[in-house]
Amino acid sequence: DIGPMPSFLSWTPDGRFLYLKFDTSTYAIPLKPGQTLPPIPASGFSTKEAVAGLPGARLISETSVFPGPDPSIYAFMKVSAQRNIYRVPVP
């Protein structure tokens, strides 16, 4: 278990941005006051380009993003492994 994973859909605390994880990319999409979701095609989003084409959509460089107050501030998980490839005994 690597810990909690961010949801595929989340909002900034003030509701100004929607974070949408699509495939392996996360996008921050600005919302108008009172808007809960951006305009979504009836058939849904079929490609990353369709999501990126939403007005003001920003690609977040990390994949597992926990939203902050705006798209420039967020938390993410970084998982790494270190191995003893030479099989040298470690005391």
Side-chain angles (χ1 to χ4, degrees):
D1 185 23
I2 60 171
M5 295 298 292
S7 63
F8 291 99
L9 191 66
S10 57
W11 290 261
T12 54
D14 62 5
R16 290 182 30 226
F17 290 89
L18 168 74
Y19 285 77
L20 172 64
K21 183 175 180 181
F22 187 88
D23 197 16
T24 58
S25 300
T26 301
Y27 295 89
I29 303 163
L31 298 172
K32 295 177 183 172
Q35 189 179 27
T36 305
L37 294 171
I40 300 172
S43 60
F45 297 112
S46 58
T47 64
K48 290 187 217 181
E49 290 76 19
V51 179
L54 288 170
R58 302 179 200 177
L59 176 63
I60 306 295
S61 60
E62 305 299 331
T63 56
S64 297
V65 175
F66 295 90
D70 66 64
S72 66
I73 302 171
Y74 54 87
F76 63 94
M77 293 186 331
K78 183 176 181 182
V79 180
S80 64
Q82 183 175 350
R83 302 199 192 301
N84 185 350
I85 61 172
Y86 299 105
R87 300 197 185 269
V88 176
V90 178

